[in-house]
Amino acid sequence: ALRDLQPIRFHWTARSPEDPGPERVGFGAQSVQQAVPVAVWPVVQPDGQTWLTLSDRVLLGVLVNAVKELENRLSVLETQP
């Protein structure tokens, strides 16, 4: 479930294609995989290791839909006497 997702702080490793320098904030692919499996898939690295990667766009779409659902629920509650 989305409420189980916890942002983490991390640095990319030197083996990553990303710049290892600045600290990042995001989500671990393993935790996202449990909540939104379609947003995560394995990628085989040149050395043969398999890493999980995640799509921020897929996750963003899921989060936007969750906010819309909450807005609809709030609207219903606001119209009740």
Side-chain angles (χ1 to χ4, degrees), residues 31-54:
S31 63
V32 172
Q33 188 176 39
Q34 293 178 18
V36 187
V38 69
V40 179
W41 60 92
V43 174
V44 178
Q45 302 300 307
D47 64 2
Q49 287 188 334
T50 301
W51 293 1
L52 292 178
T53 188
L54 64 92

Side-chain angles (χ1 to χ4, degrees), residues 15-31:
R15 295 183 355 213
S16 168
E18 300 291 332
D19 177 11
E23 182 178 68
R24 309 287 177 111
V25 176
F27 298 98
Q30 292 84 354
S31 63

Side-chain angles (χ1 to χ4, degrees), residues 1-76:
L2 291 178
R3 70 177 57 165
D4 295 331
L5 292 178
Q6 297 294 323
I8 59 172
R9 293 173 183 247
F10 63 95
H11 291 272
W12 289 107
T13 66
R15 295 183 355 213
S16 168
E18 300 291 332
D19 177 11
E23 182 178 68
R24 309 287 177 111
V25 176
F27 298 98
Q30 292 84 354
S31 63
V32 172
Q33 188 176 39
Q34 293 178 18
V36 187
V38 69
V40 179
W41 60 92
V43 174
V44 178
Q45 302 300 307
D47 64 2
Q49 287 188 334
T50 301
W51 293 1
L52 292 178
T53 188
L54 64 92
S55 170
D56 293 345
R57 288 183 182 205
V58 172
L59 193 55
L60 180 60
V62 169
L63 294 173
V64 167
N65 282 338
V67 169
K68 287 180 179 181
E69 183 179 321
L70 290 172
E71 286 177 334
N72 288 338
R73 289 180 182 184
L74 180 60
S75 179
V76 168

